[in-house]
Amino acid sequence: MAGYDGHRGWVNYLAVAPDKRRSALGRQLMHAAETELAKRGCPKLNLQVRVGNDTALAFYQSWVTCRTMWSASGKD
């Protein structure tokens, strides 16, 4: 689930079934969310991750590492 409140974008509850993980589906979902938020003029993106969800944290860290951060492009 992704949303935009007019100030920042949010990604909540991104999930991929265990048997579908490691298939690039999570990256496709994040790319789609990022693309749609950008179309709506969203200048930055916040992520919601539960404490202790190390798998999700690792995924998002790899996503940020492989992407040009929005703030680096002057959109922060």
Side-chain angles (χ1 to χ4, degrees):
M1 175 173 45
Y4 177 46
D5 64 10
H7 181 65
R8 67 179 56 88
W10 296 89
V11 173
N12 299 306
Y13 305 114
L14 178 76
V16 175
D19 65 324
K20 302 295 183 192
R21 292 180 185 161
R22 314 292 301 168
S23 67
L25 184 55
R27 289 188 185 278
Q28 292 170 5
L29 291 168
M30 278 300 297
H31 178 74
E34 183 182 45
T35 299
E36 288 302 315
L37 291 168
K39 284 180 188 178
R40 289 163 172 75
C42 179
K44 56 187 166 184
L45 178 63
N46 290 349
L47 302 169
Q48 301 293 309
V49 182
R50 290 180 190 249
V51 173
N53 190 343
D54 296 332
T55 301
L57 288 172
F59 169 76
Y60 289 125
Q61 287 171 341
S62 72
W63 177 258
V64 170
T65 299
C66 75
R67 304 283 298 139
T68 301
M69 299 212 32
W70 289 14
S71 60
S73 67
K75 295 183 179 180
D76 189 4

